[in-house]
């Protein structure tokens, strides 16, 4: 089991310190949430049984890949992740360039979590069709993967159309940054099985995971895939080492945690978690 840290749960002024301390303590990764814009009228929480908006429109939002480039300079081994990047809201040129920049500057440490998004008003603010977001996401991913791996790319699709272009530098990771597919539905499982390094369920209970993972394995086998699919679970509430086993048995390979209640407690919370959970689990493994 690997352990990541949710930077979205701490004040931005502490991101650098938290990332440095997480690396020192032996955490594997840090992760940032992402939005392009937050409309004032926000509705439709993605969280199970939640009727309230999941975030206020006045919450400060930073460019996640820009922040990860900064954190790349402050760390040496830590994987740098997005949880998740709304890839359909940008042209693939913008996404591919920003992601490649992080991957090159970090020496190949980008864990690129991408998703189709849930916030209709955000898509409408950008002037895009929310109801066609799945197809747009599929095409955006396909174009990015070609830009990251091919010398010359020409594309004529439903959403993006361009003649021959070159794209340099290529990412350090080949054929491109590790893609972690966020989402809970059939489309997310399909993307994870076909193009993803991993799957990132956003609203799954522990009890629901085995059935979905069985479906994921079925899809991966149908594609002839031989490499395992990483399973990253955000928002895990772990306080003891003996709680980790249930997640591992369910098929989770990475837990993203935020073991603190307030930002000022983040560094101490990381140290406590490392002593009580991370290191005992690693020793037992």
């Amino acid at each position: 089991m690997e352990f990541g840290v949710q930077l979205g749960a701490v004040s931005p002024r502490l991101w650098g310190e938290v990332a440095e301390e997480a690396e020192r303590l032996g955490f594997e990764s840090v992760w940032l949430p992402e939005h392009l814009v937050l409309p004032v009228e926000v509705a439709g929480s993605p969280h199970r049984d939640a009727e309230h908006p999941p975030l206020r429109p006045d919450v400060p939002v930073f460019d996640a890949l820009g922040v990860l480039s900064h954190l790349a300079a402050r760390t040496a081994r830590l994987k740098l992740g997005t949880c998740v990047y709304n890839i359909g809201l940008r042209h693939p040129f913008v996404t591919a360039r920003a992601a490649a920049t992080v991957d090159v500057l970090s020496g190949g440490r980008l864990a690129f979590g991408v998703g189709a998004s849930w916030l209709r008003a955000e898509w409408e603010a950008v002037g895009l069709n929310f109801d066609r977001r799945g197809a747009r996401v599929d095409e955006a991913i396909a174009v990015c993967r070609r830009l990251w791996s091919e010398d010359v790319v020409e594309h004529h699709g439903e959403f993006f159309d361009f003649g021959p272009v070159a794209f340099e530098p290529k990412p350090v990771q080949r054929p491109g940054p590790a893609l972690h597919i966020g989402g809970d539905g059939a489309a997310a499982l399909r993307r994870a099985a076909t193009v993803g390094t991993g799957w990132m369920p956003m609203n799954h209970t522990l009890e629901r995971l085995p059935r979905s993972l069985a479906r994921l394995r079925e899809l991966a086998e149908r594609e002839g895939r031989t490499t395992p699919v990483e399973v990253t679970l955000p928002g895990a509430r772990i306080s003891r080492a003996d709680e980790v086993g249930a997640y591992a048995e369910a098929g989770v390979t990475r837990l993203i945690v935020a073991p603190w209640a307030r930002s000022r407690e983040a560094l101490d919370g990381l140290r406590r978690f490392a002593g009580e959970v991370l290191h005992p689990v690693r020793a037992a493994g």
Side-chain angles (χ1 to χ4, degrees):
M1 182 69 70
E2 299 290 354
F3 292 92
V5 176
Q6 178 53 272
L7 291 180
V10 68
S11 169
R13 63 185 175 80
L14 294 174
W15 284 345
E17 290 180 73
V18 168
E20 289 174 343
E21 186 66 358
E23 180 170 85
R24 187 188 71 81
L25 291 168
F27 286 87
E28 178 249 7
S29 52
V30 292
W31 300 79
L32 270 174
E34 194 276 332
H35 279 281
L36 184 60
V37 68
L38 296 179
V40 172
E41 296 295 329
V42 177
S45 173
H47 302 293
R48 185 169 53 92
D49 300 328
E51 297 179 356
H52 59 83
L55 72 172
R56 302 192 321 272
D58 60 347
V59 169
V61 176
F62 293 77
D63 182 89
L65 294 174
V67 173
L68 295 183
S69 290
H70 169 71
L71 297 181
R74 298 187 62 159
T75 57
R77 300 177 303 279
L78 208 62
K79 289 184 179 179
L80 307 167
T82 51
C83 178
V84 293
Y85 185 89
N86 297 308
I87 191 169
L89 293 177
R90 285 91 163 177
H91 193 287
F93 291 166
V94 176
T95 297
R97 180 68 65 204
T101 297
V102 176
D103 202 60
V104 170
L105 293 180
S106 67
R109 291 186 280 139
L110 176 61
F112 199 23
V114 299
S117 180
W118 59 271
L119 184 52
R120 176 182 290 272
E122 185 175 15
W123 279 70
E124 292 175 348
V126 181
L128 297 175
N129 185 348
F130 181 77
D131 295 323
R132 290 290 293 156
R133 70 192 186 282
R136 184 179 172 93
V137 164
D138 286 336
E139 190 172 331
I141 290 174
V143 172
C144 284
R145 295 181 75 216
R146 292 188 64 199
L147 291 169
W148 290 328
S149 60
E150 299 178 18
D151 292 334
V152 177
V153 178
E154 180 174 356
H155 180 83
H156 304 286
E158 177 182 356
F159 302 99
F160 311 106
D161 190 298
F162 55 90
V165 299
F167 184 93
E168 295 292 342
K170 302 300 185 191
V172 172
Q173 296 181 76
R174 295 299 182 96
L179 293 173
H180 296 266
I181 307 299
D184 298 285
L189 289 173
R190 170 183 54 78
R191 293 183 190 109
T194 55
V195 301
T197 295
W199 176 48
M200 189 177 293
M202 309 303 293
N203 196 26
H204 261 60
T205 63
L206 187 59
E207 293 74 23
R208 185 183 166 194
L209 272 173
R211 183 174 179 178
S212 294
L213 288 175
R215 175 59 176 162
L216 180 60
R217 286 191 294 272
E218 178 184 329
L219 292 170
E221 290 172 3
R222 186 181 302 171
E223 289 293 320
R225 178 170 179 157
T226 57
T227 56
V229 180
E230 298 178 18
V231 180
T232 301
L233 191 64
R237 299 186 179 277
I238 301 293
S239 58
R240 303 191 314 271
D242 60 9
E243 295 174 328
V244 176
Y247 290 92
E249 290 174 10
V252 177
T253 58
R254 179 184 293 105
L255 293 170
I256 301 177
V257 300
W260 58 80
R262 300 175 182 83
S263 289
R264 63 175 178 270
E265 302 167 355
L267 295 174
D268 287 338
L270 284 179
R271 295 166 188 143
R272 182 175 58 254
F273 187 94
E276 298 177 2
V277 180
L278 191 154
H279 297 313
V281 168
R282 294 274 173 81

